[in-house]
Every structure is written in C-alpha cells, then in structure tokens.
Amino acid sequence: DSGVTQTPKHLITATGQRVTLRCSPRSGDLSVYWYQQSLDQGLQFLIQYYNGEERAKGNILERFSAQQFPDLHSELNLSSLELGDSALYFCASSVGTAGTQYFGPGTRLLVL
Amino acid sequence: DQQVKQNSPSLSVQEGRISILNCDYTNSMFDYFLWYKKYPAEGPTFLISISSIKDKNEDGRFTVFLNKSAKHLSLHIVPSQPGDSAVYFCAASPTGTASKLTFGTGTRLQVTL
C-alpha cells in the first residue's frame, strides 16, 4: 500500500459526459501528479500540482483540468468525454517537487 | 512519438537465473532514468534510478546500466525470484530528477519455477 488513495476504482460513463477523479496523496506529500495509461501505452504525464499551485504540465487535453485543494487532495476533471479517453488514470504523490513518486492504484475509466 | 521504448512486451525467466529488461530512448535531453514495477490492480512502485552522470547503479538484486551513447538502459535482476513476476516500466526525465517522467510501454516479466 503506497498510501495514495484514488476514488472511484472504476467508472463507466457515456460519450459527452463529465467525470471527476479524486486523489488523496500520502501524508506529508505536497506534490500530486496525474498520469493516463491507455491500452498498450506507457503512462503519459498529464499535470503536476505542488502545494496547491500548478507546477508542470504534460500532454493534458484542454477538455481536462485539475486542481489541488488546501487539504492537498486533488481532482482531475474530464469533460466532453470521447471513446478514446477510456484509460487507467493514475495519481502519484511526492514530498517535494521532484522526489520519488508514489502511485495510487488507479481509476479505470470506460467511456461507452 | 514514443520517446521511451521497451521493445519486448514480455519475458520469461527461470527462478534463480538473470532477468535482463531493456529500454531505449530517443530524447537526448533525458538525464535521469528510473525503473518501476507494477503488480495487477496496483499502481507502479519505484524500484531503482540512475543519473546520466553514472553508468551503473546497484541496489541488492537489482542493477541498472546506462549506455548514453547508445541511448539504452537495462535492468538486471539476479537471481530472479517468483515474486519478481510483474510488469516493469522504464521512465525518463529531462530535469535531472524524478519529475516530468516519460514512461515506456512496459515489459511483463514471468519468473517460472
């Protein structure tokens, strides 16, 4: 158990809909990262927050947004969902801005 | 454009033998490399890392080798154990740290008895 929690574990929704994925980092970690893993692909870095502020951005679509709240949990919002958004979404956390990342178990999103 | 490539989707090794997992990268800006292990229904777990100023890093049964001129790294597991059966991802960063990681597609290692 990495100490990083993600909810929900599974999510099934329809095209055009909007969903919110939630992540609670390990106690004491200030950075939260979001990754997307599509079928047969590596994990793609989406975005990093550090202590409530956006720190780094990867290949995140404009339809996707994230935020980190004062209690340090983070949410990833996916809107106008398309079939191709079906993937595993991982959250990770680290103490500082660039330390070892500890991953949650992921949220599996299926868009029908 | 896959900047980090793991060309072997799977590998089977007998218990006690050496497992060698390979990874190639194309971005010459990458200067920090990591290996993660992933069991089913769990997130990836950090295993070992190497900075581009080194060519080898060892941690117990795990050794990572880096060949910068060939843009190639490998993970050696000696001796392999059944509990090592998992998917192994290599990852790379251009920041000298474990941030802004680009992951490969993974190699599934099966250690047989």
Side-chain angles (χ1 to χ4, degrees), chain A residues 33 35 37 40-45 48 56-57 88 90 97-105, chain B residues 2 32 34 36 38 41-46 89 95 97-106:
Chain A
Y33 309 77
Y35 292 86
Q37 185 184 19
D40 295 332
Q41 298 290 312
L43 282 76
Q44 301 288 323
F45 168 68
Q48 176 194 1
K57 217 166 186 175
L88 257 174
F90 288 103
T97 56
T100 299
Q101 295 179 33
Y102 296 86
F103 282 79
Chain B
Q2 196 70 26
Y32 193 76
L34 307 90
Y36 279 80
K38 185 183 179 307
E42 294 182 13
T45 303
F46 170 72
F89 292 95
T95 67
T97 66
S99 66
K100 296 201 79 172
L101 298 179
T102 298
F103 281 80
T105 52

Side-chain angles (χ1 to χ4, degrees), chain B residues 51-62:
Chain B
S51 163
S52 60
I53 62 172
K54 294 186 171 184
D55 54 19
K56 177 182 171 181
N57 190 25
E58 206 168 337
D59 184 1
R61 297 186 297 113
F62 302 92

